[in-house]
Amino acid sequence: MVRCLTDFSCWETIAKLAPLGTALIVLIAAIIALGAMWVQMHIARRRASIDFFLKTEMHKTVIDLYNKFKANASSIAFVPDPSDLTRGDYDDIRAFLNICELIAVGVNKGAFSKSVSEAYWGDVIPETYQCEAVD
């Protein structure tokens, strides 16, 4: 082995294999980079979900919309009868349903994390859908 290195007889073989070694190193680096990008994408989705839910939960208007929805959803069919609800109540219910739809679109389009969304609003969204579908 020492003789091979000192008389340069094996350097030609090593030189022929060098491009393969370089390609292997590049492939490993690309796999690591793609893995890091994938992890960052999922972290960003989770953060977006948590930020959105935190803002909606802390916002007084959204809490009021949810409470109005819970109180009036069972009495709404398509367009409210003037004797049942005021147009303002109907608009408030639709505003809350629009927030629920925004969450669903965010999950379907990959902007929000599905697991975080299910864990946080997993009871509210199906319940909202059932209230709307029953009528």
mmCIF file of all heavy atoms in Angstrom, residues 38-89:
data_model
loop_
_atom_site.group_PDB
_atom_site.id
_atom_site.type_symbol
_atom_site.label_atom_id
_atom_site.label_comp_id
_atom_site.label_asym_id
_atom_site.label_seq_id
_atom_site.Cartn_x
_atom_site.Cartn_y
_atom_site.Cartn_z
ATOM 1 N N TRP A 38 -37.941 20.762 4.345
ATOM 2 C CA TRP A 38 -39.197 20.095 4.697
ATOM 3 C C TRP A 38 -39.558 20.376 6.152
ATOM 4 O O TRP A 38 -40.697 20.693 6.480
ATOM 5 C CB TRP A 38 -39.061 18.606 4.427
ATOM 6 C CG TRP A 38 -40.313 17.831 4.629
ATOM 7 C CD1 TRP A 38 -41.356 17.704 3.760
ATOM 8 C CD2 TRP A 38 -40.679 17.066 5.788
ATOM 9 N NE1 TRP A 38 -42.341 16.918 4.308
ATOM 10 C CE2 TRP A 38 -41.946 16.507 5.555
ATOM 11 C CE3 TRP A 38 -40.045 16.811 6.995
ATOM 12 C CZ2 TRP A 38 -42.592 15.708 6.471
ATOM 13 C CZ3 TRP A 38 -40.696 16.012 7.925
ATOM 14 C CH2 TRP A 38 -41.952 15.476 7.644
ATOM 15 N N VAL A 39 -38.571 20.272 7.035
ATOM 16 C CA VAL A 39 -38.799 20.530 8.460
ATOM 17 C C VAL A 39 -39.197 21.989 8.665
ATOM 18 O O VAL A 39 -40.146 22.282 9.410
ATOM 19 C CB VAL A 39 -37.544 20.171 9.286
ATOM 20 C CG1 VAL A 39 -37.632 20.719 10.696
ATOM 21 C CG2 VAL A 39 -37.334 18.668 9.317
ATOM 22 N N GLN A 40 -38.510 22.914 8.005
ATOM 23 C CA GLN A 40 -38.831 24.335 8.144
ATOM 24 C C GLN A 40 -40.236 24.646 7.628
ATOM 25 O O GLN A 40 -40.945 25.477 8.201
ATOM 26 C CB GLN A 40 -37.796 25.194 7.405
ATOM 27 C CG GLN A 40 -36.457 25.245 8.086
ATOM 28 C CD GLN A 40 -36.545 25.865 9.468
ATOM 29 O OE1 GLN A 40 -37.224 26.855 9.680
ATOM 30 N NE2 GLN A 40 -35.858 25.252 10.421
ATOM 31 N N MET A 41 -40.645 23.978 6.551
ATOM 32 C CA MET A 41 -41.984 24.190 6.009
ATOM 33 C C MET A 41 -43.039 23.777 7.034
ATOM 34 O O MET A 41 -44.016 24.496 7.267
ATOM 35 C CB MET A 41 -42.163 23.385 4.716
ATOM 36 C CG MET A 41 -43.542 23.484 4.113
ATOM 37 S SD MET A 41 -43.755 22.412 2.694
ATOM 38 C CE MET A 41 -43.640 20.798 3.441
ATOM 39 N N HIS A 42 -42.847 22.638 7.665
ATOM 40 C CA HIS A 42 -43.814 22.171 8.652
ATOM 41 C C HIS A 42 -43.819 23.047 9.905
ATOM 42 O O HIS A 42 -44.878 23.297 10.478
ATOM 43 C CB HIS A 42 -43.572 20.703 8.993
ATOM 44 C CG HIS A 42 -44.024 19.790 7.905
ATOM 45 N ND1 HIS A 42 -45.340 19.466 7.709
ATOM 46 C CD2 HIS A 42 -43.342 19.172 6.917
ATOM 47 C CE1 HIS A 42 -45.451 18.678 6.667
ATOM 48 N NE2 HIS A 42 -44.254 18.491 6.163
ATOM 49 N N ILE A 43 -42.666 23.530 10.297
ATOM 50 C CA ILE A 43 -42.608 24.449 11.432
ATOM 51 C C ILE A 43 -43.341 25.742 11.086
ATOM 52 O O ILE A 43 -44.095 26.271 11.912
ATOM 53 C CB ILE A 43 -41.142 24.722 11.840
ATOM 54 C CG1 ILE A 43 -40.535 23.473 12.483
ATOM 55 C CG2 ILE A 43 -41.049 25.920 12.788
ATOM 56 C CD1 ILE A 43 -39.047 23.562 12.733
ATOM 57 N N ALA A 44 -43.149 26.244 9.875
ATOM 58 C CA ALA A 44 -43.824 27.477 9.457
ATOM 59 C C ALA A 44 -45.341 27.291 9.429
ATOM 60 O O ALA A 44 -46.093 28.187 9.830
ATOM 61 C CB ALA A 44 -43.317 27.915 8.087
ATOM 62 N N ARG A 45 -45.810 26.131 8.968
ATOM 63 C CA ARG A 45 -47.251 25.860 8.968
ATOM 64 C C ARG A 45 -47.804 25.825 10.389
ATOM 65 O O ARG A 45 -48.875 26.350 10.666
ATOM 66 C CB ARG A 45 -47.543 24.531 8.283
ATOM 67 C CG ARG A 45 -47.441 24.588 6.798
ATOM 68 C CD ARG A 45 -47.761 23.249 6.200
ATOM 69 N NE ARG A 45 -47.615 23.301 4.761
ATOM 70 C CZ ARG A 45 -47.620 22.257 3.980
ATOM 71 N NH1 ARG A 45 -47.781 21.053 4.493
ATOM 72 N NH2 ARG A 45 -47.472 22.384 2.685
ATOM 73 N N ARG A 46 -47.075 25.191 11.279
ATOM 74 C CA ARG A 46 -47.528 25.120 12.669
ATOM 75 C C ARG A 46 -47.572 26.510 13.299
ATOM 76 O O ARG A 46 -48.516 26.852 14.007
ATOM 77 C CB ARG A 46 -46.618 24.196 13.473
ATOM 78 C CG ARG A 46 -46.815 22.740 13.121
ATOM 79 C CD ARG A 46 -45.962 21.835 13.996
ATOM 80 N NE ARG A 46 -46.202 20.462 13.651
ATOM 81 C CZ ARG A 46 -45.304 19.666 13.115
ATOM 82 N NH1 ARG A 46 -44.087 20.105 12.885
ATOM 83 N NH2 ARG A 46 -45.599 18.420 12.821
ATOM 84 N N ARG A 47 -46.543 27.307 13.023
ATOM 85 C CA ARG A 47 -46.517 28.662 13.567
ATOM 86 C C ARG A 47 -47.665 29.498 13.008
ATOM 87 O O ARG A 47 -48.293 30.263 13.739
ATOM 88 C CB ARG A 47 -45.196 29.337 13.241
ATOM 89 C CG ARG A 47 -44.056 28.813 14.037
ATOM 90 C CD ARG A 47 -42.805 29.511 13.643
ATOM 91 N NE ARG A 47 -42.159 29.969 14.847
ATOM 92 C CZ ARG A 47 -41.082 30.688 14.864
ATOM 93 N NH1 ARG A 47 -40.530 31.070 13.736
ATOM 94 N NH2 ARG A 47 -40.540 31.038 15.984
ATOM 95 N N ALA A 48 -47.920 29.376 11.710
ATOM 96 C CA ALA A 48 -49.024 30.128 11.098
ATOM 97 C C ALA A 48 -50.348 29.729 11.728
ATOM 98 O O ALA A 48 -51.192 30.591 12.020
ATOM 99 C CB ALA A 48 -49.056 29.894 9.586
ATOM 100 N N SER A 49 -50.537 28.440 11.948
ATOM 101 C CA SER A 49 -51.777 27.965 12.580
ATOM 102 C C SER A 49 -51.921 28.529 13.983
ATOM 103 O O SER A 49 -52.972 29.054 14.354
ATOM 104 C CB SER A 49 -51.793 26.436 12.643
ATOM 105 O OG SER A 49 -51.696 25.884 11.368
ATOM 106 N N ILE A 50 -50.869 28.419 14.760
ATOM 107 C CA ILE A 50 -50.923 28.886 16.142
ATOM 108 C C ILE A 50 -51.129 30.398 16.184
ATOM 109 O O ILE A 50 -51.942 30.899 16.976
ATOM 110 C CB ILE A 50 -49.656 28.455 16.908
ATOM 111 C CG1 ILE A 50 -49.682 26.927 17.104
ATOM 112 C CG2 ILE A 50 -49.544 29.180 18.245
ATOM 113 C CD1 ILE A 50 -48.399 26.339 17.615
ATOM 114 N N ASP A 51 -50.437 31.144 15.329
ATOM 115 C CA ASP A 51 -50.624 32.595 15.295
ATOM 116 C C ASP A 51 -52.061 32.954 14.945
ATOM 117 O O ASP A 51 -52.670 33.822 15.579
ATOM 118 C CB ASP A 51 -49.683 33.240 14.276
ATOM 119 C CG ASP A 51 -48.244 33.268 14.736
ATOM 120 O OD1 ASP A 51 -47.991 33.033 15.935
ATOM 121 O OD2 ASP A 51 -47.366 33.528 13.885
ATOM 122 N N PHE A 52 -52.618 32.285 13.938
ATOM 123 C CA PHE A 52 -53.986 32.577 13.532
ATOM 124 C C PHE A 52 -54.969 32.251 14.649
ATOM 125 O O PHE A 52 -55.850 33.052 14.973
ATOM 126 C CB PHE A 52 -54.347 31.794 12.266
ATOM 127 C CG PHE A 52 -55.741 32.048 11.795
ATOM 128 C CD1 PHE A 52 -56.045 33.189 11.077
ATOM 129 C CD2 PHE A 52 -56.759 31.149 12.070
ATOM 130 C CE1 PHE A 52 -57.337 33.432 10.649
ATOM 131 C CE2 PHE A 52 -58.053 31.383 11.645
ATOM 132 C CZ PHE A 52 -58.338 32.532 10.931
ATOM 133 N N PHE A 53 -54.822 31.086 15.271
ATOM 134 C CA PHE A 53 -55.741 30.690 16.323
ATOM 135 C C PHE A 53 -55.599 31.583 17.552
ATOM 136 O O PHE A 53 -56.587 31.914 18.204
ATOM 137 C CB PHE A 53 -55.555 29.228 16.699
ATOM 138 C CG PHE A 53 -55.870 28.294 15.569
ATOM 139 C CD1 PHE A 53 -55.083 27.195 15.317
ATOM 140 C CD2 PHE A 53 -56.943 28.524 14.738
ATOM 141 C CE1 PHE A 53 -55.375 26.334 14.274
ATOM 142 C CE2 PHE A 53 -57.243 27.678 13.690
ATOM 143 C CZ PHE A 53 -56.456 26.576 13.464
ATOM 144 N N LEU A 54 -54.386 31.971 17.855
ATOM 145 C CA LEU A 54 -54.173 32.864 18.991
ATOM 146 C C LEU A 54 -54.854 34.206 18.744
ATOM 147 O O LEU A 54 -55.526 34.743 19.629
ATOM 148 C CB LEU A 54 -52.677 33.061 19.231
ATOM 149 C CG LEU A 54 -52.289 33.892 20.449
ATOM 150 C CD1 LEU A 54 -52.781 33.209 21.724
ATOM 151 C CD2 LEU A 54 -50.802 34.092 20.497
ATOM 152 N N LYS A 55 -54.720 34.724 17.536
ATOM 153 C CA LYS A 55 -55.360 36.000 17.219
ATOM 154 C C LYS A 55 -56.883 35.884 17.243
ATOM 155 O O LYS A 55 -57.565 36.782 17.741
ATOM 156 C CB LYS A 55 -54.897 36.495 15.847
ATOM 157 C CG LYS A 55 -53.487 37.010 15.867
ATOM 158 C CD LYS A 55 -53.031 37.448 14.495
ATOM 159 C CE LYS A 55 -51.576 37.853 14.542
ATOM 160 N NZ LYS A 55 -51.066 38.220 13.232
ATOM 161 N N THR A 56 -57.417 34.784 16.722
ATOM 162 C CA THR A 56 -58.874 34.644 16.720
ATOM 163 C C THR A 56 -59.412 34.420 18.129
ATOM 164 O O THR A 56 -60.481 34.912 18.462
ATOM 165 C CB THR A 56 -59.339 33.493 15.809
ATOM 166 O OG1 THR A 56 -58.719 32.278 16.209
ATOM 167 C CG2 THR A 56 -59.046 33.790 14.355
ATOM 168 N N GLU A 57 -58.691 33.691 18.946
ATOM 169 C CA GLU A 57 -59.160 33.424 20.307
ATOM 170 C C GLU A 57 -59.077 34.659 21.194
ATOM 171 O O GLU A 57 -59.881 34.821 22.096
ATOM 172 C CB GLU A 57 -58.342 32.297 20.941
ATOM 173 C CG GLU A 57 -58.708 30.934 20.450
ATOM 174 C CD GLU A 57 -60.095 30.512 20.871
ATOM 175 O OE1 GLU A 57 -60.485 30.724 22.030
ATOM 176 O OE2 GLU A 57 -60.809 29.972 20.024
ATOM 177 N N MET A 58 -58.106 35.494 20.943
ATOM 178 C CA MET A 58 -57.903 36.662 21.792
ATOM 179 C C MET A 58 -58.721 37.871 21.331
ATOM 180 O O MET A 58 -58.859 38.829 22.068
ATOM 181 C CB MET A 58 -56.417 37.036 21.835
ATOM 182 C CG MET A 58 -55.533 35.932 22.388
ATOM 183 S SD MET A 58 -56.025 35.360 24.020
ATOM 184 C CE MET A 58 -55.474 36.713 25.008
ATOM 185 N N HIS A 59 -59.256 37.801 20.147
ATOM 186 C CA HIS A 59 -59.983 38.939 19.593
ATOM 187 C C HIS A 59 -61.424 38.906 20.086
ATOM 188 O O HIS A 59 -62.153 37.943 19.876
ATOM 189 C CB HIS A 59 -59.932 38.875 18.060
ATOM 190 C CG HIS A 59 -60.168 40.188 17.415
ATOM 191 N ND1 HIS A 59 -61.420 40.676 17.187
ATOM 192 C CD2 HIS A 59 -59.298 41.112 16.956
ATOM 193 C CE1 HIS A 59 -61.321 41.855 16.603
ATOM 194 N NE2 HIS A 59 -60.031 42.143 16.445
ATOM 195 N N LYS A 60 -61.840 39.953 20.743
ATOM 196 C CA LYS A 60 -63.183 40.015 21.348
ATOM 197 C C LYS A 60 -64.279 39.841 20.309
ATOM 198 O O LYS A 60 -65.273 39.162 20.555
ATOM 199 C CB LYS A 60 -63.332 41.353 22.069
ATOM 200 C CG LYS A 60 -64.709 41.613 22.606
ATOM 201 C CD LYS A 60 -64.761 41.396 24.087
ATOM 202 C CE LYS A 60 -66.058 41.856 24.668
ATOM 203 N NZ LYS A 60 -67.092 40.871 24.661
ATOM 204 N N THR A 61 -64.095 40.413 19.124
ATOM 205 C CA THR A 61 -65.116 40.308 18.079
ATOM 206 C C THR A 61 -65.348 38.866 17.677
ATOM 207 O O THR A 61 -66.485 38.441 17.483
ATOM 208 C CB THR A 61 -64.697 41.137 16.849
ATOM 209 O OG1 THR A 61 -64.436 42.470 17.276
ATOM 210 C CG2 THR A 61 -65.764 41.149 15.796
ATOM 211 N N VAL A 62 -64.285 38.097 17.560
ATOM 212 C CA VAL A 62 -64.428 36.696 17.159
ATOM 213 C C VAL A 62 -65.128 35.900 18.251
ATOM 214 O O VAL A 62 -65.969 35.044 17.969
ATOM 215 C CB VAL A 62 -63.053 36.082 16.818
ATOM 216 C CG1 VAL A 62 -63.178 34.607 16.506
ATOM 217 C CG2 VAL A 62 -62.418 36.813 15.650
ATOM 218 N N ILE A 63 -64.827 36.198 19.487
ATOM 219 C CA ILE A 63 -65.502 35.519 20.598
ATOM 220 C C ILE A 63 -66.999 35.842 20.572
ATOM 221 O O ILE A 63 -67.841 34.956 20.740
ATOM 222 C CB ILE A 63 -64.856 35.908 21.943
ATOM 223 C CG1 ILE A 63 -63.417 35.389 21.993
ATOM 224 C CG2 ILE A 63 -65.663 35.383 23.119
ATOM 225 C CD1 ILE A 63 -62.605 35.934 23.142
ATOM 226 N N ASP A 64 -67.323 37.107 20.330
ATOM 227 C CA ASP A 64 -68.731 37.497 20.231
ATOM 228 C C ASP A 64 -69.416 36.808 19.052
ATOM 229 O O ASP A 64 -70.564 36.368 19.161
ATOM 230 C CB ASP A 64 -68.860 39.017 20.091
ATOM 231 C CG ASP A 64 -68.464 39.749 21.368
ATOM 232 O OD1 ASP A 64 -68.422 39.102 22.439
ATOM 233 O OD2 ASP A 64 -68.183 40.959 21.274
ATOM 234 N N LEU A 65 -68.702 36.717 17.920
ATOM 235 C CA LEU A 65 -69.273 36.035 16.749
ATOM 236 C C LEU A 65 -69.565 34.573 17.057
ATOM 237 O O LEU A 65 -70.611 34.038 16.677
ATOM 238 C CB LEU A 65 -68.330 36.135 15.553
ATOM 239 C CG LEU A 65 -68.172 37.497 14.892
ATOM 240 C CD1 LEU A 65 -67.081 37.442 13.827
ATOM 241 C CD2 LEU A 65 -69.478 37.964 14.288
ATOM 242 N N TYR A 66 -68.636 33.915 17.747
ATOM 243 C CA TYR A 66 -68.829 32.517 18.103
ATOM 244 C C TYR A 66 -70.042 32.363 19.028
ATOM 245 O O TYR A 66 -70.876 31.466 18.831
ATOM 246 C CB TYR A 66 -67.578 31.949 18.771
ATOM 247 C CG TYR A 66 -67.768 30.541 19.281
ATOM 248 C CD1 TYR A 66 -67.822 29.476 18.393
ATOM 249 C CD2 TYR A 66 -67.914 30.279 20.638
ATOM 250 C CE1 TYR A 66 -68.008 28.176 18.850
ATOM 251 C CE2 TYR A 66 -68.101 28.990 21.096
ATOM 252 C CZ TYR A 66 -68.149 27.935 20.201
ATOM 253 O OH TYR A 66 -68.344 26.666 20.650
ATOM 254 N N ASN A 67 -70.149 33.224 20.015
ATOM 255 C CA ASN A 67 -71.280 33.143 20.941
ATOM 256 C C ASN A 67 -72.608 33.381 20.225
ATOM 257 O O ASN A 67 -73.598 32.695 20.492
ATOM 258 C CB ASN A 67 -71.100 34.129 22.094
ATOM 259 C CG ASN A 67 -69.971 33.722 23.023
ATOM 260 O OD1 ASN A 67 -69.650 32.543 23.135
ATOM 261 N ND2 ASN A 67 -69.364 34.689 23.668
ATOM 262 N N LYS A 68 -72.643 34.327 19.304
ATOM 263 C CA LYS A 68 -73.869 34.572 18.535
ATOM 264 C C LYS A 68 -74.185 33.378 17.637
ATOM 265 O O LYS A 68 -75.340 33.012 17.458
ATOM 266 C CB LYS A 68 -73.728 35.841 17.701
ATOM 267 C CG LYS A 68 -73.796 37.098 18.528
ATOM 268 C CD LYS A 68 -73.652 38.331 17.657
ATOM 269 C CE LYS A 68 -73.649 39.588 18.505
ATOM 270 N NZ LYS A 68 -73.489 40.803 17.699
ATOM 271 N N PHE A 69 -73.135 32.795 17.072
ATOM 272 C CA PHE A 69 -73.344 31.611 16.232
ATOM 273 C C PHE A 69 -73.963 30.485 17.053
ATOM 274 O O PHE A 69 -74.935 29.868 16.641
ATOM 275 C CB PHE A 69 -72.028 31.149 15.612
ATOM 276 C CG PHE A 69 -72.145 29.832 14.904
ATOM 277 C CD1 PHE A 69 -72.677 29.765 13.631
ATOM 278 C CD2 PHE A 69 -71.750 28.657 15.527
ATOM 279 C CE1 PHE A 69 -72.807 28.549 12.980
ATOM 280 C CE2 PHE A 69 -71.876 27.439 14.883
ATOM 281 C CZ PHE A 69 -72.407 27.388 13.610
ATOM 282 N N LYS A 70 -73.388 30.201 18.218
ATOM 283 C CA LYS A 70 -73.903 29.122 19.068
ATOM 284 C C LYS A 70 -75.350 29.372 19.478
ATOM 285 O O LYS A 70 -76.150 28.449 19.535
ATOM 286 C CB LYS A 70 -73.035 28.971 20.325
ATOM 287 C CG LYS A 70 -71.663 28.413 20.082
ATOM 288 C CD LYS A 70 -71.692 27.004 19.581
ATOM 289 C CE LYS A 70 -72.001 26.052 20.691
ATOM 290 N NZ LYS A 70 -72.023 24.659 20.291
ATOM 291 N N ALA A 71 -75.677 30.624 19.731
ATOM 292 C CA ALA A 71 -77.028 30.949 20.188
ATOM 293 C C ALA A 71 -78.055 30.886 19.059
ATOM 294 O O ALA A 71 -79.204 30.512 19.290
ATOM 295 C CB ALA A 71 -77.041 32.342 20.817
ATOM 296 N N ASN A 72 -77.667 31.207 17.835
ATOM 297 C CA ASN A 72 -78.638 31.372 16.751
ATOM 298 C C ASN A 72 -78.518 30.375 15.600
ATOM 299 O O ASN A 72 -79.371 30.376 14.723
ATOM 300 C CB ASN A 72 -78.525 32.787 16.167
ATOM 301 C CG ASN A 72 -78.871 33.844 17.177
ATOM 302 O OD1 ASN A 72 -79.837 33.721 17.900
ATOM 303 N ND2 ASN A 72 -78.056 34.883 17.248
ATOM 304 N N ALA A 73 -77.508 29.546 15.588
ATOM 305 C CA ALA A 73 -77.285 28.662 14.430
ATOM 306 C C ALA A 73 -78.437 27.693 14.211
ATOM 307 O O ALA A 73 -78.788 27.381 13.073
ATOM 308 C CB ALA A 73 -75.982 27.892 14.589
ATOM 309 N N SER A 74 -79.025 27.226 15.263
ATOM 310 C CA SER A 74 -80.096 26.240 15.102
ATOM 311 C C SER A 74 -81.357 26.845 14.499
ATOM 312 O O SER A 74 -82.183 26.126 13.939
ATOM 313 C CB SER A 74 -80.427 25.600 16.447
ATOM 314 O OG SER A 74 -80.853 26.595 17.353
ATOM 315 N N SER A 75 -81.512 28.152 14.563
ATOM 316 C CA SER A 75 -82.726 28.773 14.036
ATOM 317 C C SER A 75 -82.557 29.307 12.618
ATOM 318 O O SER A 75 -83.472 29.918 12.088
ATOM 319 C CB SER A 75 -83.164 29.912 14.962
ATOM 320 O OG SER A 75 -82.189 30.936 14.958
ATOM 321 N N ILE A 76 -81.423 29.066 12.010
ATOM 322 C CA ILE A 76 -81.179 29.603 10.669
ATOM 323 C C ILE A 76 -81.292 28.480 9.646
ATOM 324 O O ILE A 76 -80.720 27.429 9.832
ATOM 325 C CB ILE A 76 -79.799 30.265 10.628
ATOM 326 C CG1 ILE A 76 -79.910 31.607 9.988
ATOM 327 C CG2 ILE A 76 -78.787 29.503 9.906
ATOM 328 C CD1 ILE A 76 -78.619 32.364 10.020
ATOM 329 N N ALA A 77 -82.021 28.675 8.587
ATOM 330 C CA ALA A 77 -82.120 27.682 7.519
ATOM 331 C C ALA A 77 -81.251 28.135 6.349
ATOM 332 O O ALA A 77 -80.186 27.590 6.127
ATOM 333 C CB ALA A 77 -83.563 27.500 7.093
ATOM 334 N N PHE A 78 -81.697 29.108 5.622
ATOM 335 C CA PHE A 78 -80.904 29.668 4.536
ATOM 336 C C PHE A 78 -80.804 31.172 4.735
ATOM 337 O O PHE A 78 -79.770 31.696 5.046
ATOM 338 C CB PHE A 78 -81.514 29.343 3.167
ATOM 339 C CG PHE A 78 -81.409 27.888 2.839
ATOM 340 C CD1 PHE A 78 -82.502 27.053 2.966
ATOM 341 C CD2 PHE A 78 -80.221 27.342 2.432
ATOM 342 C CE1 PHE A 78 -82.411 25.718 2.671
ATOM 343 C CE2 PHE A 78 -80.106 26.002 2.140
ATOM 344 C CZ PHE A 78 -81.207 25.183 2.247
ATOM 345 N N VAL A 79 -81.891 31.842 4.594
ATOM 346 C CA VAL A 79 -81.956 33.274 4.879
ATOM 347 C C VAL A 79 -82.936 33.413 6.037
ATOM 348 O O VAL A 79 -84.011 32.826 6.014
ATOM 349 C CB VAL A 79 -82.442 34.065 3.643
ATOM 350 C CG1 VAL A 79 -82.566 35.538 3.965
ATOM 351 C CG2 VAL A 79 -81.507 33.825 2.473
ATOM 352 N N PRO A 80 -82.571 34.158 7.044
ATOM 353 C CA PRO A 80 -83.418 34.181 8.238
ATOM 354 C C PRO A 80 -84.774 34.820 7.979
ATOM 355 O O PRO A 80 -84.911 35.737 7.191
ATOM 356 C CB PRO A 80 -82.600 35.008 9.215
ATOM 357 C CG PRO A 80 -81.724 35.850 8.369
ATOM 358 C CD PRO A 80 -81.424 35.037 7.147
ATOM 359 N N ASP A 81 -85.739 34.294 8.679
ATOM 360 C CA ASP A 81 -87.061 34.898 8.699
ATOM 361 C C ASP A 81 -86.946 36.155 9.553
ATOM 362 O O ASP A 81 -86.351 36.112 10.637
ATOM 363 C CB ASP A 81 -88.058 33.914 9.317
ATOM 364 C CG ASP A 81 -89.478 34.430 9.294
ATOM 365 O OD1 ASP A 81 -89.757 35.385 8.540
ATOM 366 O OD2 ASP A 81 -90.304 33.863 10.021
ATOM 367 N N PRO A 82 -87.468 37.263 9.081
ATOM 368 C CA PRO A 82 -87.321 38.513 9.834
ATOM 369 C C PRO A 82 -87.796 38.415 11.281
ATOM 370 O O PRO A 82 -87.293 39.123 12.149
ATOM 371 C CB PRO A 82 -88.158 39.513 9.047
ATOM 372 C CG PRO A 82 -88.240 38.947 7.669
ATOM 373 C CD PRO A 82 -88.165 37.461 7.818
ATOM 374 N N SER A 83 -88.725 37.531 11.549
ATOM 375 C CA SER A 83 -89.203 37.423 12.930
ATOM 376 C C SER A 83 -88.216 36.654 13.812
ATOM 377 O O SER A 83 -88.228 36.810 15.025
ATOM 378 C CB SER A 83 -90.567 36.737 12.956
ATOM 379 O OG SER A 83 -90.445 35.403 12.475
ATOM 380 N N ASP A 84 -87.387 35.813 13.210
ATOM 381 C CA ASP A 84 -86.450 35.006 14.001
ATOM 382 C C ASP A 84 -85.162 35.753 14.327
ATOM 383 O O ASP A 84 -84.722 35.798 15.457
ATOM 384 C CB ASP A 84 -86.112 33.710 13.266
ATOM 385 C CG ASP A 84 -87.311 32.784 13.153
ATOM 386 O OD1 ASP A 84 -88.241 32.919 13.969
ATOM 387 O OD2 ASP A 84 -87.304 31.944 12.240
ATOM 388 N N LEU A 85 -84.521 36.283 13.309
ATOM 389 C CA LEU A 85 -83.221 36.918 13.481
ATOM 390 C C LEU A 85 -83.196 38.268 12.772
ATOM 391 O O LEU A 85 -83.891 38.473 11.791
ATOM 392 C CB LEU A 85 -82.110 36.056 12.850
ATOM 393 C CG LEU A 85 -81.846 34.698 13.443
ATOM 394 C CD1 LEU A 85 -80.859 33.945 12.582
ATOM 395 C CD2 LEU A 85 -81.296 34.835 14.847
ATOM 396 N N THR A 86 -82.383 39.106 13.295
ATOM 397 C CA THR A 86 -82.150 40.359 12.586
ATOM 398 C C THR A 86 -81.096 40.117 11.513
ATOM 399 O O THR A 86 -80.366 39.120 11.559
ATOM 400 C CB THR A 86 -81.649 41.449 13.547
ATOM 401 O OG1 THR A 86 -80.361 41.067 14.028
ATOM 402 C CG2 THR A 86 -82.614 41.656 14.698
ATOM 403 N N ARG A 87 -81.025 40.998 10.560
ATOM 404 C CA ARG A 87 -80.005 40.865 9.514
ATOM 405 C C ARG A 87 -78.606 40.914 10.127
ATOM 406 O O ARG A 87 -77.695 40.238 9.676
ATOM 407 C CB ARG A 87 -80.195 41.981 8.473
ATOM 408 C CG ARG A 87 -79.259 41.898 7.303
ATOM 409 C CD ARG A 87 -79.539 40.662 6.506
ATOM 410 N NE ARG A 87 -78.534 40.530 5.465
ATOM 411 C CZ ARG A 87 -78.544 39.599 4.554
ATOM 412 N NH1 ARG A 87 -79.511 38.701 4.545
ATOM 413 N NH2 ARG A 87 -77.617 39.522 3.653
ATOM 414 N N GLY A 88 -78.446 41.674 11.200
ATOM 415 C CA GLY A 88 -77.149 41.750 11.883
ATOM 416 C C GLY A 88 -76.740 40.412 12.480
ATOM 417 O O GLY A 88 -75.582 40.016 12.401
ATOM 418 N N ASP A 89 -77.712 39.705 13.093
ATOM 419 C CA ASP A 89 -77.409 38.381 13.639
ATOM 420 C C ASP A 89 -76.999 37.423 12.525
ATOM 421 O O ASP A 89 -76.051 36.641 12.676
ATOM 422 C CB ASP A 89 -78.612 37.808 14.394
ATOM 423 C CG ASP A 89 -78.878 38.532 15.701
ATOM 424 O OD1 ASP A 89 -77.931 39.125 16.248
ATOM 425 O OD2 ASP A 89 -80.036 38.492 16.159
#
